[in-house]
Amino acid sequence: MSNLNTGMVEKYRNNFLNEVEANVEEGEWVKMCMQCGVCSGSCPLGPYWDHPPQELFMMIRAGKREEVLESTSMWMCTSCYNCLVRCPRELPITHIMHGLAHYATRLGIEPKGQPTRQFAQLFWDNLAKNGRVNELWLGVNLYFMNGFVNGIKVAMGMAGIGLGMYKSGRLSIKELIGGHTVKDKSGFKAMIKKAQELESARVDK
Amino acid sequence: MADEKKIAVEKKIGAYICNGCGIGERLDSSQLETTAKRDGKAAICQQHDFLCSEAGVKMIQDDIDNEGVNRVVIAACSRRAKTEAFAFKDVVVIRSNLREGVIWVRPDEDDQRETTQEMADDYIRMGCAEAKYANIPSASGQQSVNKNILIAGGGISGMTAALEASKAGYPCTIVEKSSALGGATAQLYKKIPTRAPYADPEDTGVDAMIAAVEADSNITVFLNSTLTNTAGAPGRFTADISTESGSTETKEFGAIVQASGFTPYDANNLPEFAYGKNKDVVTQMELEALAKTANGGAIKRPSDGKEVSSVLFIQCAGQRSTKAGHLEHCSGYCCSASIKEAMYFKDQNTAIDTTVLYTDLRTPGAGGENFYRSGQNKGVIFTKGIASEVVDGANPTVKFKDLILDEDVSMEVDLVVLATGMVANAGQPTRAEITLSENEAKEAGTEYKVSVESILNLDYRQGKDVPHMTNGFADSHFICFPYETQRTGIYTAGPTRRPMDTRQAMDDATGAAMKAISEAENAGLGKAAHPRVADLSFPSFRQEGCTQCKRCTVECPFGAINETEDGYPEFNESRCRRCGTCMGACPVRVISFENYSIDTVGQQLKAVDIPDEFDEKPRILVLACENDAYPALDMAAQNRLEYSAFTRIIPVRCLGSVSLSWITDSMNSGYDGVILMGCPSGDDYQCHFVKGSAMAQERMSKVGDTLETLSLEKERVQTYEISITDIQKVPQLINEMAETIEKIGMSPFKF
């Protein structure tokens, strides 16, 4: 258990709802769910979630901390916003899902092998490096996410498309070395650093 | 006196045929005129191209004024159309329905002309026959206006009714059983909010209301008092008001509002929730008392006086359940009440854990959803689940199944609150129901005793209180006829009528007060109450013919008929709703109304021309309830839905008023089929007179044997339940009967 996680457990004792309200983006909305289930019914990936949003909200109120934060459920959200526009109580469900995922990550208890989580991490690492997404590296990293042999296989399968994109100027081989960046890279890095500082300050409070 | 005068005046029929709305093009008007004069014995018959116009109406009025016409037969549109144009005073107005009844339901084709004309001719004959036997109703003259309103119950509903009626200028008398006004509301700490933003509990305002009642010189209050006898009828009720100390005062009233409230369901019936065993399991009302004691401070639990830090509300405790001893209904107010009570804790200290355990959260009323949202916002946790048990202990432990997470949970809390619901204070069952229970008990070898005290102690043959509907509430039909009971002039308001909160009870009481006022006035004029509003006719009977079978006194849906000492029926006309159920019940046909009798219908059906058996022109008689079936038939006509040209329709006040003699007469006169159309009966009945349709079904079930003795097929008489919306269905039913007749053949009784 990470230090942060232990700290949080200590701070809120049994009251997971309060913890969520204080630490999760839009978490103060969780108590407003009236359990109608429209979100769960609206989710295009609904059948693949362990716990649909409505159930997650109930679990939070029931104090099921580990089950919620270690769950893969909120990672299944594709941000289609169907639930958000349909919720009769106007809960920002999509945001809460990402908020929960983010909070679990910060505590270090997120489900490690979950593919969308992995992809999100790759995307962030890629973006944070130069302030711009390096599509070539993102693709390569994604192919090799599940091991070297598998990566080769996927890469071979995608070779035709890659070649086509290269020929039409959609993909530059130069991206492999360095790649393009934002104009003020150091400024960008400073901005991210400041944001992280602010975030930590809020968490520590 | 009035009767003698009527007999003395000769009946003079004037028939007026309208040629407008296409009637003139489709029908041979001169032929209709001949029919009216020759068969209908109309003294005067005139045609007009636009009868409901000013000129047309004037033509009729001139004949009434100058020619002495006192029976006006208007052969034009349905009796439901143009009622204002044809509202002639001091004469009988009969409507022959040539538009909706004939031309709109028949195709405009040459080969149909003959049968369509026959239809119209028959309606003219029927109209004239009815005119011949109908009289002008007038009030009996016994009435006088009594503006005093009696209000049984001094709770929030009773006080509201009194204040509202008093404001309208009607003196009120409140009879309250307990020693103080205020009822259940006075026991509350705060009430469910009644104003936007519906976010916080509100002061009950009951003290201000009591002060207003006490300051009102128009309102008399009897505390510690009950009604020991209530006799009479609207406009002339006499009530014995007896105080606890033994003195009795008799007062007269025009109408009564019964606002006797509710009794909280007895939680001792819920041993599974450790009620009575664990002091920290309380009902909502008991929590109100705790909150009142705390008065904004920390609420302390009963067992050891510890400040409550966690509380769980069990919704639907002993309610919405079919288990023996439980209430079947939803009391409608307890969800909002639990939200309100959870706020007592949250508003005092947000750290207190408040959980509401519900299966379906229902917060009726305009602000209900906002109040629920406000509860969530304040941090009340709503858990969907069913409690199975409360385990007794230093702290009670609630065991429940979480229905969202599908798991069994047990939760230890400081205090458990049971939302137990309302039992109506509706008084005793009817005499018939009591007799039934007594008979059942006798068979089982036990003794049955009515355990409930009567509220009104009515001196009515059918029982001491207003009849109960679903789940013991004193209602009539809460959607169609709110506040009405099955006793004319007695209106129920508040939780005795259906479960409700204070806000709804106040609205309810206002409505009931309005009803009581209008009935006090109507009774003074001898006019009927809902639904035959302002009808002046009332049942009269020939005592010589009466066999004292008492069927009318038992079957009257409104308990209007008492029994005299020598065993004859005593019609209290201002209790009467003019449905004619007594007329339909009477086996010797001695009961009639001036404008509605065995003859007004019987002579109509006899006036129809019955063609020879070999003409292949059957006749189908339809007796249609004027409240639902007849409008449905009119609307079918407006939609140009066709039905058999052999149909002759007679509107009746209620299927309950249908006399079996009409059925036998029609069979004897050679009708090939008879259809009775009434309203849906049963639990979701729509009969305006409560049980007319059900009674007709019962009576008609015996017709089959009679038909068989005449060697007629049973299929010739059919009874149907029709809603006003069954517009497509009514023509179908008629056409099905026509097909049936084609199959089984013509009636052999044609002469």
Side-chain angles (χ1 to χ4, degrees):
Chain A
M1 207 184 262
S2 74
N3 287 339
L4 185 58
N5 192 19
T6 322
M8 286 300 177
V9 171
E10 196 51 39
K11 191 171 174 187
Y12 294 98
R13 297 248 162 67
N14 287 328
N15 213 328
F16 185 40
L17 178 63
N18 286 356
E19 181 182 345
V20 167
E21 289 191 353
N23 297 296
V24 172
E25 192 191 348
E26 306 280 12
E28 66 277 14
W29 280 96
V30 170
K31 61 174 181 283
M32 298 307 289
C33 167
M34 62 174 186
Q35 296 298 325
C36 65
V38 165
C39 51
S40 310
S42 303
C43 182
L45 289 174
Y48 306 102
W49 292 45
D50 285 343
H51 310 290
Q54 162 213 13
E55 209 173 294
L56 280 177
F57 297 148
M58 201 65 224
M59 289 162 76
I60 294 171
R61 297 186 204 170
K64 296 180 176 293
R65 188 174 188 274
E66 278 67 40
E67 276 182 58
V68 171
L69 294 176
E70 289 169 14
S71 151
T72 59
S73 294
M74 53 274 193
W75 295 99
M76 296 297 288
C77 175
T78 59
S79 307
C80 75
Y81 286 88
N82 219 1
C83 54
L84 186 141
V85 296
R86 286 185 182 175
C87 176
R89 275 287 163 86
E90 299 177 341
L91 265 71
I93 300 170
T94 312
H95 302 173
I96 302 170
M97 290 305 118
H98 296 325
L100 283 170
H102 181 223
Y103 184 56
T105 310
R106 226 166 60 201
L107 296 175
I109 53 170
E110 77 281 19
K112 296 287 177 317
Q114 212 282 336
T116 48
R117 189 207 68 84
Q118 275 178 292
F119 174 70
Q121 192 62 51
L122 287 175
F123 188 90
W124 174 252
D125 293 345
N126 185 305
L127 180 71
K129 204 170 167 192
N130 287 327
R132 287 211 162 185
V133 176
N134 185 320
E135 288 173 346
L136 195 58
W137 271 116
L138 183 63
V140 170
N141 287 335
L142 194 59
Y143 296 166
F144 291 90
M145 195 169 75
N146 298 321
F148 185 74
V149 179
N150 194 47
I152 295 291
K153 259 191 215 162
V154 180
M156 297 287 276
M158 298 298 282
I161 294 173
L163 211 60
M165 284 173 76
Y166 175 71
K167 277 181 186 162
S168 58
R170 288 276 165 209
L171 198 69
S172 169
I173 203 78
K174 278 187 270 174
E175 292 285 304
L176 273 178
I177 36 164
H180 66 297
T181 69
V182 285
K183 276 177 191 156
D184 180 10
K185 195 168 154 184
S186 59
F188 168 75
K189 293 267 187 191
M191 187 180 79
I192 295 290
K193 197 171 164 234
K194 183 70 187 166
Q196 274 162 346
E197 267 172 37
L198 288 173
E199 174 95 11
S200 312
R202 194 173 67 88
V203 172
D204 293 342
K205 195 171 59 177
Chain B
M1 174 68 197
D3 279 6
E4 282 168 36
K5 209 169 133 198
K6 256 172 250 159
I7 292 159
V9 176
E10 197 195 334
K11 291 176 182 174
K12 190 167 182 183
I13 299 175
Y16 301 90
I17 297 157
C18 182
N19 286 326
C21 293
I23 298 174
E25 290 99 71
R26 295 280 305 278
L27 300 170
D28 179 352
S29 310
S30 54
Q31 161 76 29
L32 295 176
E33 204 176 316
T34 315
T35 309
K37 282 184 173 158
R38 191 192 61 207
D39 299 345
K41 303 280 183 277
I44 293 175
C45 186
Q46 298 209 59
Q47 295 183 31
H48 198 282
D49 285 339
F50 190 179
L51 197 60
C52 56
S53 68
E54 212 175 306
V57 171
K58 190 177 178 300
M59 178 182 87
I60 302 172
Q61 190 62 51
D62 284 348
D63 279 357
I64 295 170
D65 295 340
N66 307 325
E67 304 294 330
V69 169
N70 51 21
R71 299 289 181 275
V72 179
V73 177
I74 291 165
C77 41
S78 162
R79 56 175 2 208
R80 300 177 64 253
K82 302 288 172 200
T83 47
E84 276 157 28
F86 298 131
F88 300 105
K89 284 203 176 77
D90 303 322
V91 294
V92 174
V93 179
I94 304 291
R95 305 285 294 268
S96 287
N97 190 356
L98 302 187
R99 194 178 69 175
E100 285 88 340
V102 182
I103 60 162
W104 281 0
V105 290
R106 296 303 305 154
D108 187 7
E109 286 157 20
D110 281 342
D111 58 342
Q112 302 292 338
R113 270 187 177 269
E114 186 190 330
T115 49
T116 310
Q117 181 70 30
E118 282 174 6
M119 223 175 170
D121 279 331
D122 271 348
Y123 277 120
I124 299 271
R125 289 185 194 104
M126 288 155 78
C128 291
E130 188 183 359
K132 220 175 295 172
Y133 288 89
N135 288 311
I136 306 161
S138 59
S140 65
Q142 296 168 348
Q143 296 82 1
S144 62
V145 181
N146 185 336
K147 290 192 166 203
N148 289 290
I149 311 285
L150 169 65
I151 294 160
I156 199 113
S157 322
M159 287 196 291
T160 307
L163 289 168
E164 293 293 337
S166 161
K167 252 189 260 172
Y170 291 78
C172 297
T173 302
I174 297 179
V175 177
E176 168 60 42
K177 196 177 168 189
S178 74
S179 58
L181 292 172
T185 316
Q187 296 173 36
L188 305 181
Y189 171 52
K190 284 186 176 179
K191 69 174 179 183
I192 298 159
T194 58
R195 289 178 183 284
Y198 305 100
D200 306 295
E202 248 175 44
D203 284 332
T204 59
V206 83
D207 292 333
M209 192 177 261
I210 293 171
V213 167
E214 281 168 352
D216 195 325
S217 59
N218 240 348
I219 303 174
T220 317
V221 180
F222 285 83
L223 295 176
N224 296 315
S225 303
T226 51
L227 293 162
T228 42
N229 188 44
T230 308
R236 52 178 176 88
F237 284 116
T238 52
D240 292 350
I241 305 165
S242 305
T243 56
E244 224 171 34
S245 55
S247 64
T248 297
E249 195 174 326
T250 305
K251 292 185 81 172
E252 299 209 334
F253 298 98
I256 300 172
V257 173
Q258 182 183 332
S260 42
F262 72 101
T263 308
Y265 172 78
D266 185 2
N268 285 310
N269 293 327
L270 303 169
E272 64 270 36
F273 294 150
Y275 183 82
K277 209 156 88 183
N278 190 317
K279 281 184 179 168
D280 296 326
V281 178
V282 297
T283 64
Q284 284 183 328
M285 280 314 242
E286 287 162 354
L287 178 66
E288 293 288 346
L290 294 178
K292 260 193 151 180
T293 315
N295 197 23
I299 294 173
K300 295 182 179 108
R301 67 180 191 181
S303 65
D304 53 5
K306 176 185 170 249
E307 284 183 13
V308 176
S309 65
S310 59
V311 56
L312 185 137
F313 295 82
I314 298 178
Q315 298 305 110
C316 307
Q319 297 189 66
R320 297 177 65 211
S321 148
T322 46
K323 263 191 229 160
H326 285 200
L327 302 178
E328 263 188 66
H329 59 269
C330 163
S331 291
Y333 81 103
C334 358
C335 285
S336 299
S338 285
I339 296 171
K340 175 191 73 173
E341 290 175 354
M343 285 184 186
Y344 293 168
F345 294 96
K346 280 285 177 191
D347 288 348
Q348 194 263 324
N349 178 2
T350 49
I352 298 174
D353 275 332
T354 52
T355 309
V356 176
L357 191 63
Y358 69 97
T359 46
D360 302 281
L361 208 77
R362 295 174 179 180
T363 53
E369 194 65 15
N370 285 344
F371 193 46
Y372 174 23
R373 202 176 274 142
S374 172
Q376 289 182 302
N377 223 346
K378 289 181 179 184
V380 180
I381 300 293
F382 292 87
T383 298
K384 192 176 168 83
I386 300 172
S388 54
E389 193 189 351
V390 175
V391 183
D392 189 18
N395 290 327
T397 303
V398 184
K399 290 194 168 176
F400 65 91
K401 187 177 180 73
D402 189 313
L403 293 174
I404 301 288
L405 305 179
D406 193 27
E407 59 185 23
D408 294 311
V409 183
S410 73
M411 200 164 150
E412 194 181 322
V413 287
D414 288 345
L415 189 70
V416 174
V417 183
L418 305 177
T420 47
M422 286 176 170
V423 180
N425 290 342
Q428 294 184 353
T430 59
R431 197 168 119 176
E433 285 161 341
I434 292 174
T435 312
L436 205 71
S437 304
E438 277 173 350
N439 291 345
E440 273 173 18
K442 206 179 277 175
E443 266 174 44
T446 53
E447 203 187 336
Y448 172 81
K449 264 175 91 178
V450 186
S451 54
V452 194
E453 268 182 63
S454 170
I455 308 274
L456 296 173
N457 276 304
L458 290 173
D459 182 25
Y460 282 31
R461 191 191 185 276
Q462 287 184 11
K464 289 182 173 183
D465 282 293
V466 297
H468 309 160
M469 292 292 299
T470 357
N471 302 318
F473 287 88
D475 195 7
S476 171
H477 191 298
F478 80 100
I479 293 171
C480 296
F481 335 119
Y483 324 118
E484 290 284 352
T485 67
Q486 292 171 48
R487 298 290 176 258
T488 312
I490 304 175
Y491 300 94
T492 47
T496 188
R497 190 169 79 77
R498 65 172 179 77
M500 58 179 79
D501 64 16
T502 46
R503 167 61 194 266
Q504 290 170 311
M506 285 167 75
D507 290 349
D508 217 52
T510 311
M514 187 197 76
K515 278 284 197 181
I517 289 170
S518 72
E519 179 52 18
E521 293 289 345
N522 266 338
L525 300 167
K527 288 179 174 176
H530 171 91
R532 288 191 63 82
V533 183
D535 188 350
L536 282 171
S537 68
F538 51 88
S540 59
F541 87 118
R542 264 187 316 112
Q543 189 161 323
E544 313 87 81
C546 176
T547 58
Q548 301 192 341
C549 73
K550 304 189 180 25
R551 216 171 282 176
C552 55
T553 62
V554 173
E555 291 191 357
C556 174
F558 302 99
I561 311 169
N562 269 18
E563 227 172 281
T564 58
E565 274 174 21
D566 43 2
Y568 289 109
E570 181 189 18
F571 293 89
N572 294 282
E573 75 256 22
S574 41
R575 286 190 206 164
C576 172
R577 306 271 179 106
R578 283 74 164 168
C579 60
T581 299
C582 47
M583 188 171 111
C586 183
V588 284
R589 287 169 282 164
V590 296
I591 303 173
S592 63
F593 296 78
E594 281 153 316
N595 55 1
Y596 185 60
S597 62
I598 298 291
D599 277 341
T600 59
V601 175
Q603 294 298 330
Q604 277 189 73
L605 64 91
K606 283 178 193 160
V608 170
D609 182 45
I610 308 278
D612 202 78
E613 196 180 338
F614 308 104
D615 274 358
E616 292 297 317
K617 283 176 179 168
R619 286 292 177 257
I620 301 166
L621 177 68
V622 179
L623 296 171
C625 160
E626 65 178 11
N627 292 304
D628 274 36
Y630 202 69
L633 283 160
D634 270 0
M635 282 188 278
Q638 282 157 12
N639 286 302
R640 305 296 193 279
L641 301 174
E642 290 168 17
Y643 55 74
S644 165
F646 307 126
T647 316
R648 303 293 180 262
I649 298 168
I650 302 178
V652 293
R653 286 188 180 182
C654 176
L655 270 205
S657 73
V658 171
S659 168
L660 279 182
S661 67
W662 297 340
I663 313 295
T664 42
D665 277 2
S666 55
M667 281 298 147
N668 283 328
S669 345
Y671 281 89
D672 302 278
V674 178
I675 303 174
L676 277 74
M677 290 185 182
C679 306
S681 61
D683 280 347
D684 294 323
Y685 78 95
Q686 288 174 12
C687 177
H688 286 55
F689 301 108
V690 187
K691 50 185 184 181
S693 187
M695 232 142 32
Q697 299 268 16
E698 166 74 21
R699 290 175 195 157
M700 291 310 142
S701 67
K702 288 157 190 151
V703 167
D705 305 337
T706 318
L707 290 177
E708 269 174 9
T709 57
L710 293 168
S711 50
L712 283 171
E713 296 79 358
K714 271 187 190 174
E715 294 91 321
R716 290 193 193 274
V717 180
Q718 298 286 0
T719 311
Y720 295 111
E721 296 189 348
I722 301 292
S723 294
I724 198 161
T725 48
D726 286 338
I727 299 159
Q728 305 289 329
K729 192 175 156 192
V730 275
Q732 276 171 23
L733 293 175
I734 294 173
N735 291 336
E736 274 168 26
M737 175 59 92
E739 282 165 29
T740 308
I741 291 165
E742 221 163 279
K743 230 176 277 164
I744 59 180
M746 306 284 276
S747 159
F749 282 85
K750 294 177 191 282
F751 304 107

